[in-house]
Structures are given as structure tokens and as C-alpha cells.
Amino acid sequence: MINPIPYITNIGSNPVSGINNSTNSFGDILKAALNDVNNLQLKSQQDDQMLITGDINNIHNVMIDATKADIALQLTIQIKNKILDAYQEIMRMPV
């Protein structure tokens, strides 16, 4: 028996809420994922401000949070590009 590939349930440190296909729509899952990406971006900005003001001394955590936010944003952009490519391909199909 072939085991299915599990869903990506974690972008950053917060699990994506709503990976239950029977109760949530694609839009709900997308909103939750975008909120998680936004939270990572906000945390990275907050860490940057704290580093500038001297409230935080551990630059390693600042860099890790910035990298997490960057990777999550790049993943979001790539997913958006794939969705647009799929939409354009569907629109080119003859009726």
C-alpha cells in the first residue's frame, strides 16, 4: 500500500488552521496560510526593531526569524504563480 503524502500543516511556527477538507473551503485554508505568512513577516519586523533599539542581543534568532519569513513569502509567491499558470491553462482550453 502506498502512503499518501501528508498535507503541509506548518508554515513557520504556527500550524495552518483548517486542513480539514470536509468543513473548510479552499478560501479558508488560503486565508489561514496567508495570515501565518503575514505573522512571520510581522515578527521579523518586530525583531529588527528590537535589534536596532538594543532590546534584543541574540542576533541568531533575528536572522532565523527573517529567514523563515523570507522563505514563507517566496513559497507564497511560487504558489500564486502556479495557481495563475493553472488558471491561464484552463482558460486556453477549447470549449
Side-chain angles (χ1 to χ4, degrees), residues 38-50 62-70:
N38 187 46
N39 289 337
L40 286 171
Q41 293 289 326
L42 293 174
K43 177 149 179 29
S44 176
Q45 289 177 357
Q46 181 183 18
D47 287 351
D48 290 344
Q49 290 175 352
M50 290 175 65
V62 174
M63 293 303 297
I64 289 170
D65 288 342
T67 303
K68 283 182 186 179
D70 182 52

Side-chain angles (χ1 to χ4, degrees), residues 26-84:
F26 176 75
D28 293 337
I29 294 169
L30 188 62
K31 284 179 188 176
L34 290 175
N35 283 334
D36 289 344
V37 171
N38 187 46
N39 289 337
L40 286 171
Q41 293 289 326
L42 293 174
K43 177 149 179 29
S44 176
Q45 289 177 357
Q46 181 183 18
D47 287 351
D48 290 344
Q49 290 175 352
M50 290 175 65
L51 182 67
I52 290 170
T53 59
D55 294 335
I56 193 168
N57 293 326
N58 192 354
I59 193 166
H60 300 292
N61 288 338
V62 174
M63 293 303 297
I64 289 170
D65 288 342
T67 303
K68 283 182 186 179
D70 182 52
I71 291 172
L73 182 61
Q74 293 299 320
L75 176 65
T76 303
I77 291 169
Q78 291 300 319
I79 290 172
K80 182 230 14 149
N81 290 340
K82 291 293 182 181
I83 290 172
L84 286 176

Side-chain angles (χ1 to χ4, degrees), residues 9-20:
T9 59
N10 200 355
I11 297 179
S13 60
N14 297 330
V16 176
S17 57
I19 298 294
N20 185 354

